[in-house]
Amino acid sequence: MVEAQANRGGHRRLICKLQSIANLAEDEMRDVQLLPLSLKSVPADTQIVRDGERPRECCLIVEGFVCRFKMLSDGRRQIMSFHIPGDIPDLQSLHLKILDHSIAAVGVPAILAFIQHQDLHDITRQHAGIAAALWRDTLIDAAIFREWMVGLGRRAAIRRFAHLVCEMALRMKAVGLADHQTYDFPVTQSDLGDALGLSTVHVNRVLQEIRKKRLLEFKGSTITIRDWKGLEELGQFDPIYLHQNSAAGMLDG
Amino acid sequence: MVEAQANRGGHRRLICKLQSIANLAEDEMRDVQLLPLSLKSVPADTQIVRDGERPRECCLIVEGFVCRFKMLSDGRRQIMSFHIPGDIPDLQSLHLKILDHSIAAVGVPAILAFIQHQDLHDITRQHAGIAAALWRDTLIDAAIFREWMVGLGRRAAIRRFAHLVCEMALRMKAVGLADHQTYDFPVTQSDLGDALGLSTVHVNRVLQEIRKKRLLEFKGSTITIRDWKGLEELGQFDPIYLHQNSAAGMLDG
DNA sequence: CGGATCGTTGAGTTGTATCAAGACGGGTGG
DNA sequence: CCACCCGTCTTGATACAACTCAACGATCCG
């Protein structure tokens, strides 16, 4: 069955993600695999949950690309994070009843696996290791926010973009979604602007500049890194803040 | 003994903080009060823990004012949060071994109470409620980061500042450190610039502008709010993101 | 083929940074 | 007790990064 396959996909993605941030015991992994998942697919650029809601479930990304964002009263938007398969972007709703931002699929349709809060509470009560791993995941989330704050507050536009490209490369790599120097990043220049705190026009000019420096290509929705060292330097990128289990041996081969 | 008093102060502050974000049971509060605290005072504007360290304890603020920040290679700084008595600014170190930023006292000397990671691990293992409360605390931390990101990315300088003033007012109020419309905020204009992503010169001009609007006074290290409604509107401030137990009935009396 | 979305370009504007210098103010030492 | 000094605040002049507005080109899709 298609559904059974996708379900396995959901558990596989979750396991893979958890292993990239923690070391789970055998029985813990087994129970993660038994978590009831409720699958749903959403079209590209569609909201999944909305600012102000009180969700009773968390959403695990199985396929696709997701962002969290807040709208301002004048219609402008700030994207606070991008999420990839294996992430649970609203894990915080487990302990914060009201959602203080929205979540949406970006660029391409997404397949999501919803997990009841109740089931997550149960599994964390039974397995201290899983509780710790999930807590840790939300802490890494926060660490990424902090790093973005540095960019938004203190880094020039082109550095911000370079930094984002490096970050996504490592995160995609950690869950097996990036090969040597290429990965999929299906966002528009307008999305990028909302994430980097820039106007679309300026994003466009930044992209041209970075292409001219031959640091990367960005055709269609594919990013191809041509000069990892250069990108890292331009973005002042130091992967420590990602707190990955193995932050070594990356794309610079 | 002075130390015994301050120790009680530490536990009192912690209890007060935890009650502002969660509902603890009797026995949980009792065990919180039994947590071993190791007191230390640090001079104003001194680092407490440093980027890259691997702390074995967390630091509870008993008195004073603390910020978390990252330094850039060119010596500029981004402050990512301010912390007040009752906060544990490095609670995340419980699950993220390496610190990805530094922590320092700002403006005035601080009294800190260090809690061994081991003791925190023990108490969370014994009391699911305390584990949840601490996890929740780190999640609120992250929610505040997100809100700051919106400011840094999308709000004009004066709005950013107004927003910060509102946020600090509510947080101080929640732990009994702000009265009707006044509270202590011992930061220099340079600190403010590092928090808001602005130059000192521009902070100065923003302050003048906001004074001219008669929204607040900022003499010495004391902020006096003159027009809460106006500040809230200017800062586009909506307290939802603070996830306080009782976000109602604030300074606008 | 037409419309919608996205990307690109140019011109003009503005918010904020930088540089430089002076004023203020609180603490220290002579 | 005064003089001095250092950090902070303030002000002015100038520079520039990024924004806005507006128009046009490129794709894609129905």
Side-chain angles (χ1 to χ4, degrees):
Chain A
M1 306 287 299
V2 166
E3 182 160 330
Q5 269 182 12
N7 229 313
R8 273 204 299 282
H11 289 113
R12 187 170 49 81
R13 284 268 140 81
L14 183 53
I15 292 279
C16 175
K17 167 64 183 277
L18 290 176
Q19 280 181 329
S20 83
I21 58 171
N23 296 310
L24 295 188
E26 281 296 326
D27 62 324
E28 291 176 331
M29 293 215 279
R30 193 199 56 224
D31 282 8
V32 166
Q33 240 136 7
L34 294 176
L35 269 178
L37 301 183
S38 149
L39 285 171
K40 187 179 164 190
S41 57
V42 301
D45 301 300
T46 318
Q47 293 207 14
I48 297 165
V49 281
R50 280 175 192 73
D51 200 341
E53 287 184 358
R54 297 165 166 272
R56 304 178 61 85
E57 51 197 9
C58 288
C59 113
L60 165 69
I61 305 174
V62 182
E63 292 294 338
F65 232 82
V66 160
C67 73
R68 297 201 264 172
F69 64 94
K70 297 201 192 204
M71 300 299 304
L72 285 98
S73 40
D74 60 2
R76 288 182 310 159
R77 179 170 77 142
Q78 176 67 44
I79 290 179
M80 285 145 332
S81 58
F82 289 115
H83 293 276
I84 62 180
D87 288 351
I88 304 179
D90 57 352
L91 187 51
Q92 93 258 354
S93 66
L94 211 51
H95 290 289
L96 298 181
K97 291 311 156 211
I98 299 187
L99 217 58
D100 56 39
H101 61 275
S102 300
I103 303 183
V106 250
V108 291
I111 299 177
L112 308 169
F114 287 92
I115 314 172
Q116 293 296 313
H117 282 177
Q118 194 53 59
D119 293 328
L120 283 169
H121 279 128
D122 290 348
I123 203 173
T124 55
R125 205 168 300 122
Q126 276 164 40
H127 299 288
I130 293 178
L134 293 180
W135 189 353
R136 182 172 152 89
D137 186 47
T138 63
L139 293 172
I140 294 173
D141 227 53
I144 296 175
F145 293 149
R146 287 194 292 270
E147 190 62 35
W148 281 38
M149 289 177 71
V150 177
L152 289 168
R154 292 300 189 199
R155 280 197 265 261
I158 194 167
R159 291 186 189 276
R160 269 180 241 179
F161 177 70
H163 195 281
L164 177 61
V165 170
C166 292
E167 175 184 311
M168 293 313 298
L170 292 206
R171 288 173 54 199
M172 298 286 276
K173 194 90 192 288
V175 292
L177 288 170
D179 75 354
H180 274 296
Q181 53 231 352
T182 193
Y183 63 94
D184 208 50
F185 196 39
V187 296
T188 65
Q189 294 185 359
S190 162
D191 295 330
L192 277 177
D194 289 344
L196 302 173
L198 302 169
S199 69
T200 345
V201 173
H202 200 61
V203 167
N204 185 278
R205 290 177 173 139
V206 162
L207 287 180
Q208 291 176 41
E209 200 178 336
I210 215 164
R211 274 188 215 116
K212 206 174 351 175
K213 288 179 192 281
R214 312 204 153 279
L215 294 175
L216 57 82
E217 276 153 41
F218 190 6
K219 287 210 193 85
S221 66
T222 312
I223 287 193
T224 308
I225 293 173
R226 289 272 169 252
D227 177 1
W228 175 259
K229 271 274 155 54
L231 263 186
E232 234 179 10
E233 196 179 318
L234 180 59
Q236 306 175 316
F237 182 77
D238 176 352
I240 287 280
Y241 76 99
L242 290 173
H243 299 273
Q244 290 179 341
N245 257 350
S246 57
M250 297 311 304
L251 296 147
D252 51 339
Chain B
M1 305 287 297
V2 164
E3 182 160 329
Q5 269 182 12
N7 230 313
R8 274 204 298 282
H11 290 112
R12 187 169 50 80
R13 284 268 141 80
L14 183 53
I15 292 278
C16 175
K17 167 64 182 280
L18 290 175
Q19 281 181 328
S20 83
I21 57 171
N23 296 309
L24 295 188
E26 280 296 326
D27 63 323
E28 291 176 331
M29 293 216 279
R30 193 200 55 224
D31 281 7
V32 167
Q33 239 136 8
L34 295 176
L35 271 177
L37 301 182
S38 148
L39 285 170
K40 186 178 165 190
S41 56
V42 301
D45 301 300
T46 318
Q47 293 207 14
I48 297 164
V49 282
R50 280 175 193 72
D51 199 342
E53 288 184 359
R54 298 166 164 272
R56 306 178 61 85
E57 51 197 6
C58 289
C59 113
L60 164 69
I61 305 174
V62 182
E63 293 293 339
F65 232 82
V66 159
C67 73
R68 297 201 264 172
F69 64 94
K70 297 201 192 204
M71 300 300 304
L72 286 98
S73 39
D74 60 2
R76 288 183 309 159
R77 178 171 80 142
Q78 177 68 44
I79 291 179
M80 285 146 333
S81 58
F82 289 115
H83 292 276
I84 63 180
D87 288 351
I88 305 178
D90 57 352
L91 187 50
Q92 93 259 353
S93 66
L94 210 51
H95 290 289
L96 300 181
K97 291 311 156 214
I98 298 187
L99 217 57
D100 56 39
H101 61 274
S102 301
I103 304 184
V106 250
V108 292
I111 300 177
L112 310 169
F114 287 92
I115 314 173
Q116 294 296 313
H117 281 178
Q118 194 53 59
D119 293 328
L120 283 169
H121 279 128
D122 290 347
I123 204 173
T124 56
R125 206 168 300 122
Q126 276 164 39
H127 299 287
I130 293 178
L134 293 179
W135 189 351
R136 183 173 152 88
D137 186 48
T138 63
L139 292 172
I140 293 174
D141 227 52
I144 296 175
F145 293 150
R146 287 194 292 271
E147 189 61 37
W148 280 39
M149 289 177 72
V150 177
L152 289 168
R154 290 303 189 198
R155 280 198 265 261
I158 195 167
R159 291 185 190 278
R160 268 180 241 178
F161 177 69
H163 195 283
L164 177 61
V165 170
C166 292
E167 174 183 312
M168 294 312 299
L170 292 206
R171 288 173 55 198
M172 297 286 276
K173 194 87 192 291
V175 290
L177 287 170
D179 74 356
H180 275 295
Q181 55 231 351
T182 194
Y183 63 93
D184 208 51
F185 195 40
V187 296
T188 65
Q189 295 184 0
S190 161
D191 296 330
L192 277 177
D194 289 344
L196 302 173
L198 302 169
S199 68
T200 350
V201 174
H202 200 61
V203 167
N204 185 277
R205 289 177 174 137
V206 161
L207 287 180
Q208 292 176 42
E209 199 178 337
I210 215 163
R211 273 188 215 115
K212 208 175 348 178
K213 288 180 192 281
R214 310 205 152 277
L215 294 175
L216 58 81
E217 276 152 41
F218 190 4
K219 289 210 194 84
S221 66
T222 311
I223 288 194
T224 308
I225 294 173
R226 289 272 170 251
D227 177 0
W228 176 260
K229 272 273 156 54
L231 263 185
E232 233 179 11
E233 197 179 318
L234 180 60
Q236 307 176 315
F237 182 77
D238 176 350
I240 287 278
Y241 76 98
L242 289 173
H243 299 275
Q244 289 179 341
N245 258 350
S246 57
M250 296 312 302
L251 295 150
D252 50 339

